[in-house]
Amino acid sequence: MTRKIIIVGGVAGGASTACRLRRLDEEAQIIMLERGEDISFANCGLPYYVGGVIEKRKKLLVQTPKSMRSRFNIDVRNMSEVIKVYPAEKKVEIKNLVNDTVYEESYDYLVLSPGAQPALHNIPGIEKANVFVVRNVPDSDNIKQYIEVNRPETAAVVGAGYIGLEMAEMLKELGLKVTIVEAADQIMGALDPDMAAIVQEYIQKQGIDVILSDKVVAMEGAEQVEKIQLESGKNISAQIVIMGAGVKPEVWLAKEAGLAVGTTGGILVNEQLQTSDSFIYAAGDAIQIKDFVTGDDSLVPLAGPANRQGWIVANNICGRNIKYTGSQGTSIVKIMDMVAGGTGQNEKQLKRKNIEYLFCHAQPFSHATYYPGSTQMTIKLLFTPGEGKILGAQVVGYDNVDKTIDVLATAIRGRMNVYDLLELELAYAPPFSSAKSPTNMVGYVAANILDGSTDSMSWEEVQHLAVEDIYLIDVRSPKEVEKGTIAGAYNIPVDNLRERLNEVPKDKDIVIFCEIGLRGYIAARILKQNGINSKNISGGYRLYQSLKNCGLVE
């Protein structure tokens, strides 16, 4: 019996479902309905098309209706919007957006892949002609055309997530004066504040202004926005505005069809990605899934998971029982020369879920320092006490960030622990890594905390200690200290610590820091073996400087 499958939406989830269906079933009748012009495009590449890094528009188009028809024999109907689903009758109502005609199609199976939509707020002036979102290729065309015709000099980007930061970079490269406005108290919500501070410090040095903890309340101007007003009373000049304040799952069609929606606001699906109607599946940014690390309900609007989900949906429609095991939210972004990536849980999420954890920072080099071009990265690892199960990781740097975060993401997927990182045998030659890779190094740092070789603390924790109760030791060299240190810190270089042990008081908590943490660890070991307990500040003075420059510590 020939199956008839209707797929609502293209891009990652819908297109991958369609292609996999055809590879599994040559006889199936497959209809893909997409309300936009393009059925499968590289939405992650849109900012780079706006900025001219991707020069040709067609490079964004992964598949066209013509190529899908010829290679996969799929009935592709773009500019066609499904406006109603009738689950009991197993049919959909479709509107042709070219001629406004409405017709019906029956189905054996229906796949919903509507994606996510920009999380826009009811801001006065948001409807003006120079306010844009970045969701599809036509959106990008509109932005490019507006810039080419109107030559704006100032831009505001509302939202400091990945798309917002990428758009800020591209606008800056096009010569605009760019201001980022973020309602939260940090950029890049996927990262913890200490790691996000490194990125913020960098982009501010590149000439992009960042305003945190403030909201846009109005966009002022006659026919076009000329300035935006913030809740704090500030006004920002903006001749073009990019709305990048996150996305939300598009679920209106599922709701109207009577399908269940989860606590996160996404379409509720089971492990086989079936909705509450067993003949309707869903994939992509609109569905609620399980977090791979914690098992909690989650929304993960990323292309990788969406592609995997589409593949699984097709397999299950064709009778193969494959479960979706969840997502850990692995992601990465490039802002100019800096790269930031994350995987698994961050500290904020673990605190919110009352999950006990430990953390550490390491700041290894991308490859052997004696080989030209080596740069330093910062790695943050989150793990459980006792077992040392890896809960999450974040990496910020310039080179080899992608490789490092991918190895750590694989470790999480393999349910590895901190000690397993020490055993990883990774490729080494001076141009590529070090004999101890960055992944090995952060494993050693975490293992030292787990086995009691050292105790660590964060700069945030230091801020809450009473000055009279602690003895703060800067173990860097005097020349380094001359360039800057912490008020009230005593300078005892690590190389002189053994002969100056008598200076370390016995009636106070001893807290140590160096530039990145390594010399602090060595100093802590010296003290511990001389009967003096101490804590080493994770991330060292370098991390402190980023935090201070972003107003996160005093």
Side-chain angles (χ1 to χ4, degrees), residues 425-494:
E425 187 176 332
L426 303 173
Y428 160 63
F432 304 106
S433 187
S434 299
K436 288 180 182 176
S437 76
T439 305
N440 295 143
M441 288 303 299
V442 75
Y444 279 108
V445 175
N448 285 334
I449 294 171
L450 276 178
D451 66 20
S453 295
T454 186
D455 291 323
S456 69
M457 67 189 315
S458 67
W459 283 109
E460 182 184 14
E461 291 174 299
V462 175
Q463 295 286 297
H464 295 100
L465 296 176
V467 176
E468 61 272 13
D469 294 334
I470 67 169
Y471 190 81
L472 189 61
I473 306 177
D474 185 341
V475 299
R476 297 175 302 157
S477 69
K479 286 186 177 181
E480 290 174 286
V481 173
E482 286 176 8
K483 297 177 182 178
T485 187
I486 310 298
Y490 298 88
N491 181 215
I492 307 179
V494 64

Side-chain angles (χ1 to χ4, degrees), residues 535-548:
K535 290 191 175 183
N536 183 24
I537 303 177
S538 188
Y541 186 70
R542 178 170 295 178
L543 184 59
Y544 169 83
Q545 287 179 303
S546 296
L547 292 167
K548 185 177 181 181

Side-chain angles (χ1 to χ4, degrees), residues 131-152:
V131 180
F132 300 92
V133 296
V134 190
R135 188 185 185 189
N136 53 39
V137 179
D139 290 338
S140 301
D141 290 333
N142 292 336
I143 297 170
K144 280 177 69 71
Q145 183 180 24
Y146 182 84
I147 293 173
E148 289 169 3
V149 172
N150 295 277
R151 302 293 180 186

Side-chain angles (χ1 to χ4, degrees), residues 262-277:
T263 56
T264 63
I267 301 170
L268 192 65
V269 294
N270 61 16
E271 289 180 316
Q272 284 74 29
L273 301 180
Q274 287 173 304
T275 67
S276 52
D277 183 308

Side-chain angles (χ1 to χ4, degrees), residues 222-234:
E223 294 182 0
Q224 296 190 345
V225 175
E226 297 173 4
K227 64 180 179 179
I228 61 176
Q229 183 180 338
L230 304 184
E231 193 174 51
S232 63
K234 294 179 183 176

Side-chain angles (χ1 to χ4, degrees), residues 30-68:
I30 305 169
I31 302 174
M32 179 187 289
L33 302 166
E34 168 58 51
R35 67 184 169 203
E37 297 176 15
D38 306 301
I39 58 163
S40 182
F41 59 91
N43 49 4
C44 297
L46 297 177
Y48 301 109
Y49 171 58
V50 171
V53 175
I54 298 172
E55 296 180 0
K56 296 183 179 180
R57 185 184 193 273
K58 65 181 181 180
K59 293 288 187 181
L60 294 171
L61 306 179
V62 181
Q63 290 282 357
T64 64
K66 182 179 179 181
S67 67
M68 287 284 278

Side-chain angles (χ1 to χ4, degrees), residues 121-271:
H121 301 282
N122 189 24
I123 302 170
I126 198 171
E127 76 288 345
K128 295 185 187 299
N130 58 340
V131 180
F132 300 92
V133 296
V134 190
R135 188 185 185 189
N136 53 39
V137 179
D139 290 338
S140 301
D141 290 333
N142 292 336
I143 297 170
K144 280 177 69 71
Q145 183 180 24
Y146 182 84
I147 293 173
E148 289 169 3
V149 172
N150 295 277
R151 302 293 180 186
E153 296 180 355
T154 57
V157 177
V158 182
Y162 286 3
I163 292 293
L165 292 178
E166 289 168 348
M167 282 302 304
E169 175 192 358
M170 291 297 101
L171 294 171
K172 169 85 168 46
E173 292 300 310
L174 290 172
L176 282 74
K177 174 63 177 173
V178 181
T179 301
I180 297 172
V181 181
E182 171 57 57
D185 58 1
Q186 67 167 89
I187 66 170
M188 297 186 71
L191 301 183
D192 284 319
D194 52 357
M195 299 296 282
I198 301 171
V199 182
Q200 181 183 337
E201 181 184 37
Y202 170 77
I203 63 176
Q204 287 175 323
K205 286 180 178 178
Q206 308 309 308
I208 295 176
D209 293 333
V210 179
I211 297 174
L212 300 177
S213 303
D214 214 344
K215 295 179 181 179
V216 177
V217 294
M219 300 187 185
E220 300 177 353
E223 294 182 0
Q224 296 190 345
V225 175
E226 297 173 4
K227 64 180 179 179
I228 61 176
Q229 183 180 338
L230 304 184
E231 193 174 51
S232 63
K234 294 179 183 176
N235 288 303
I236 298 169
S237 174
Q239 295 166 332
I240 183 172
V241 180
I242 306 296
M243 299 301 297
V247 295
K248 59 182 180 180
E250 186 169 320
V251 296
W252 66 268
L253 187 63
K255 280 185 174 181
E256 288 188 4
L259 301 178
V261 172
T263 56
T264 63
I267 301 170
L268 192 65
V269 294
N270 61 16
E271 289 180 316

